Amino acid sequence: DTEVTQTPKHLVMGMTNKKSLKCEQHMGHRAMYWYKQKAKKPPELMFVYSYEKLSINESVPSRFSPECPNSSLLNLHLHALQPEDSALYLCASSLRIGTDPYEQYFGPGTRLTVT
Amino acid sequence: GQQVMQIPQYQHVQEGEDFTTYCNSSTTLSNIQWYKQRPGGHPVFLIQLVKSGEVKKQKRLTFQFGEAKKNSSLHITATQTTDVGTYFCAGLIQGAQKLVFGQGTRLTINP
């Protein structure tokens, strides 16, 4: 199984809502990532988890709160978002992080619209 | 900040023509990876290059990594409509633990 799954596929939320994005992989990968992608732009790294611990936070606003409950699951909790946060949110996983080259497997993404 | 520059931003070709996209980094890369993202899809890993001067082929796709490990290219021979999408290079800066993505080259093809 080389698949990363993400739910929901689409999400529309108001600026006062609280919602969560979910990501799951069963490849035994110990590194998991959240990326944000705007139209016609490359994926922009938000967070990296390594062995269920937050390893990298790319100075993301606190209205985005990641969580890694176990080695297969990754959540992104959303609260008080702004319209400019509307984007495709991609989850990815890789065997590990580090200076060795590990390819990343991306999920299909959640298309988020903030109204 | 650390950047990986990718050109061209867009490329439109006739089916059957060749296509090349280039990536350049201001700093030495540990490795470079290439991803393809179809319209409406997500990035899919194509290949990674690790060694200086490395060349790898996948059918009609040829990937090169420069001798100084600062640049890379992807060449597609005789494009087909299935090649449509955005091609991203992503470099691992030496000593860092995260990929830096290029801006991508969006390939469109006239059948």
Side-chain angles (χ1 to χ4, degrees), chain A residues 35 37 40-43 45 55-56 58 88 90 97-104 106-108, chain B residues 10 30-31 33 35 37 41-43 45 48 50 88 92 95-99 101-103 106:
Chain A
Y35 287 89
Q37 187 177 31
K40 299 182 180 180
K41 295 292 185 182
L45 184 65
S55 177
I56 296 175
E58 290 290 284
L88 179 67
L90 293 161
I97 63 170
T99 53
D100 290 325
Y102 297 116
E103 62 263 36
Q104 296 187 14
F106 284 82
Chain B
Y10 301 99
S30 294
N31 74 82
Q33 301 178 11
Y35 292 81
Q37 186 170 18
H42 58 277
F45 174 80
Q48 64 187 4
V50 180
F88 292 102
L92 189 64
Q97 293 186 337
K98 62 179 184 179
L99 288 176
F101 278 80
Q103 290 300 302
R106 186 179 172 194

Side-chain angles (χ1 to χ4, degrees), chain A residues 1 10 14-15 18 20-21 24-25 52 56 77 108 112 114:
Chain A
D1 182 6
H10 301 274
M15 289 188 285
K18 285 185 180 181
S20 296
L21 309 184
E24 191 167 4
Q25 58 87 15
E52 296 101 70
I56 296 175
H77 303 297
L112 173 68
V114 181

Side-chain angles (χ1 to χ4, degrees), chain B residues 4 20 22 30 39 41-42 48 51-52 55 57 62 74 76 81-82 99 101 104 107 110:
Chain B
V4 175
T20 305
Y22 302 89
S30 294
H42 58 277
Q48 64 187 4
K51 299 177 183 176
S52 169
V55 178
K57 292 190 176 184
T62 301
L74 158 59
I76 302 178
T81 53
T82 53
L99 288 176
F101 278 80
L107 174 64
N110 209 20

Side-chain angles (χ1 to χ4, degrees), chain A residues 37-50:
Chain A
Q37 187 177 31
K38 290 277 201 179
K40 299 182 180 180
K41 295 292 185 182
E44 180 184 340
L45 184 65
M46 301 174 70
F47 303 103
V48 182
Y49 273 83
S50 176

Side-chain angles (χ1 to χ4, degrees), chain A residues 15-31:
Chain A
M15 289 188 285
T16 58
N17 291 161
K18 285 185 180 181
K19 296 287 184 182
S20 296
L21 309 184
K22 296 185 183 301
C23 173
E24 191 167 4
Q25 58 87 15
H26 294 288
M27 294 179 277
H29 289 175
R30 302 313 297 270

Side-chain angles (χ1 to χ4, degrees), chain A residues 1 7 14 28-29 31 45 53 59 61 64-65 71 79 90 94 96:
Chain A
D1 182 6
T7 56
H29 289 175
L45 184 65
K53 293 186 178 177
S59 302
F64 295 91
S65 175
S71 60
H79 174 55
L90 293 161
S94 66
R96 284 188 291 277

